[in-house]
Amino acid sequence: MKDAIAKLRGELRGDSAFFRHAVRSAFAVVAAIAAAHLLNLHHGIWLPITVVVIMRPSLGGTIRHGWRRVLGTIIGAGVGIGLLITAGAHPHVLISLALLLFLVTFFLKQHNYTLFVVALTATVVIILGLTMPMGWKMGLVRIVDTLIGAVIGLGAAFFIWPQKARASLKKQNHDTLIAFEDHLGLLSSAYLTGQAREGEIIRTRIHVIDTLTKCEEVFFEASAEPGIRTEQRQALSRLLRIFFRILDLLTSLSTIIRRAGGTVLPVLSEGTEKLLTSTRAEITWLAAYALNLGDLDPRPPRTAIPEFLETIRILRASGEFEDLPLARRNNISAFIWNIRALGEELDMAYERIVELRYGRKSRNKVF
Amino acid sequence: MHHLIRGFYKKIIHPVDPAFFMTGYAVKAVLACVVALFVGLGLQVPTGRLQWGVFGAFIVMLSRAGDSYQERKRVALRVIFISALLVPLSTLVGNTDFLREAYVFLLAFFAFFCAVLGLPAMITGLGILLLNLFALGDPDTLSAGGNRALLVMMGGVLAYAVNFFILPVYPRKILGKAGRSALTDLGDYFTAVAARIEEKHAPEDVEKLQDRARKSVRRYREIMEAMNMDPMAGLDRDQGPTALYATLVRILTAVINLNQNSRFDKESPLYDGVRQAFAAMAADATLFFERLAQNQSGGEPLDPAPMNRAVDQLENRLLELGAYKRGDAVSEEFLEIWGIVHALRNLAQELETMIDLRIGEGV
């Protein structure tokens, strides 16, 4: 309890995102209640309810959620009105349908918000349509009230301390890349020492997935905000896909490392360490670049992979690998393939970040 | 289960909600509300006030905050208590114009500010806010508000009883279901990857199934967290829910690795030489996945020998072709196909680990 109070007090300040969101939302709810009274709306309670459910900390989040709420309400009310008009003479059928829809509502809640609202609205419209004198017209009331509520919520999101998701894109990119670097650091240490710390590896992998999921959410919210062009949305989406491919490559690397069967061969030890260190340095640099830090060193040169491949070629020609078991040789090949592919993905990530920052023709800055 | 129903379940329902967790909870919520309604009718509560009992039950079912079972019980009681306190006040304040707006502002501010304490706290806060919005929207005297509060308490207590005593949650049973569904999803993903290697599936299917398998493993973890089990603690153990979680993550890793190795030239004459052995191995592994998922609830221990033999046969067949000795180009192709054997061997080892794993032990 003490911790909770300390946390709440810690955020009770004007520059806190939580505080601003709470103030913004509270104003919107009050405005909705006032509007319902001023307009003397039938079922005016739906106005503040709409505001409560659509308000999100970021502008993009509120736009996305508001749009899905409005769309779901229009479709759901349409379904409810349709059923009331066509099957109004058979209330027991409608009650059964409403019950079924209510169960479906919970079923859909976790997976698709629009469909969830469709099912919920249809249920509410059927029940109220059967019990209220207005009948099917309750569906129209629901649509109008939801639209007004959504407009009030969006207005608050636009004008009271607007918090754009795109403002945190740089940080999300940075955090994701740093999570990749942490995970690769642990994998590198496991590969070089021949001791995979399974629990630690899974822990950092989960952290990577969590960070990436958050990054994906912010990308979607930023994409919904006004001022972002189609090509920039596409660039964001491409960068996200690259991040997911990097995650797959790291996943693949961890399997290879787990089955490496001992420490790195002494003849390859130095080159491998250099290769892994340079890949990590590249990710760290890219993370700093994504955050747009000033006074950055130039991008590290990509020389480690060609050098390592050359070493391998010389060693192979001199018959250094002849006595190695085939599985071990192929494990080394798989490692090289993956680390090379990782380098290529980092190149593409760099291109996308440059594109987002300067636009394809050095314009349309997103961050 | 009849194969038609099973097919319908696998294709339509399973991808959306594998174990009907939420639907099961919804049934419980409906039941709690219906009980509140009937008890209200039994107590001869006037029709115009019956809904307050239902609101009380609903708000308790909505508040699923808390990391542990005990914590959830405490949260539910707090929700009942806070709602019962605020509803009479909201009912009365609703009569006065400016006071109403100021009161709503404070209430809404605190409800949204609860987000500082996490999503569950915010949901609870918003639930209480909604309940009070209903009271504000229908203002009355303080004694009418008191009546509403009593009904909210009655509905809340009934929902509390339904949720925690009459139909309580059994964590390991739910985790068992989640583990089984994750294994089924991993099996489907593996089958798609194997089909991609044999060029039967478009790549989009594979990506979709990978995403589904990933989410399924993640859901298992979320269920653990919701039941106050730390998925990160004891990841190195060989029994119990955390061990199952770690193995699921490793199986996912192994299948992703196999997928990463699937981009080679399918027209290669070298691949033709092992195509049949690969198909046999893939069929064995698919079957193994299915039986493993079924076996999570007990039964005869599975024998991994046939699957391991199938990988051996594939490996031997590839080696018999002697491609790694035939110049650089063929040797490169050999390495690419060898990547698959390597990945399959990893997967077989992970599946073998899974055989003896039970979540009923450990943790």
Side-chain angles (χ1 to χ4, degrees), chain A residues 25-98:
Chain A
S25 306
F27 267 118
V29 173
V30 170
I33 294 223
H37 276 271
L38 281 174
L39 299 171
N40 198 19
L41 290 175
H42 202 281
H43 259 80
I45 187 76
W46 284 335
L47 264 72
I49 289 179
T50 304
V51 170
V52 168
V53 294
I54 71 163
M55 290 309 284
R56 290 292 179 276
S58 76
L59 174 61
T62 308
I63 293 174
R64 274 186 87 207
H65 226 63
W67 164 244
R68 288 190 278 185
R69 179 84 187 178
V70 168
L71 183 69
T73 301
I74 292 172
I75 299 172
V79 171
I81 290 170
L83 285 169
L84 282 167
I85 290 173
T86 53
H90 310 283
H92 52 283
V93 174
L94 285 175
I95 289 169
S96 310
L97 269 173

Side-chain angles (χ1 to χ4, degrees), chain B residues 172-190:
Chain B
R172 281 170 201 267
K173 202 172 154 188
I174 291 179
L175 280 173
K177 278 185 185 172
R180 270 201 298 282
S181 72
L183 260 179
T184 310
D185 284 339
L186 286 166
D188 288 347
Y189 174 37
F190 167 78

Side-chain angles (χ1 to χ4, degrees), chain A residues 8 25 30 37 45 102 106-107 110-111 199 203 206 210 248 251-252 254-255 258-259 326 330-331, chain B residues 16 22-23 26 30 100 133 210 214 218 221 232 236 245 253 257 260 319 335 338 342 346 349-350:
Chain A
L8 289 168
S25 306
V30 170
H37 276 271
I45 187 76
F102 186 63
F106 276 83
F107 182 73
Q110 303 293 308
H111 308 286
R203 198 165 289 131
I206 290 165
D210 287 348
D248 283 355
T251 305
S252 196
S254 77
T255 320
R258 200 182 310 125
R259 305 287 177 232
L326 199 57
N330 292 321
N331 187 278
Chain B
V16 185
M22 283 313 295
T23 316
V30 172
R100 179 183 57 222
L133 287 177
Q210 178 180 337
R214 197 177 258 157
R218 191 187 174 86
R221 175 188 148 202
M232 306 293 188
D236 301 328
Y245 175 57
T253 306
N257 186 34
Q260 290 287 323
L319 292 176
L335 283 177
W338 183 269
H342 184 264
N346 289 334
Q349 285 184 13
E350 299 302 359

Side-chain angles (χ1 to χ4, degrees), chain B residues 202-214:
Chain B
E204 287 86 331
D205 280 338
V206 180
E207 309 313 328
K208 215 169 14 178
L209 289 168
Q210 178 180 337
D211 193 44
R212 202 174 91 188
R214 197 177 258 157

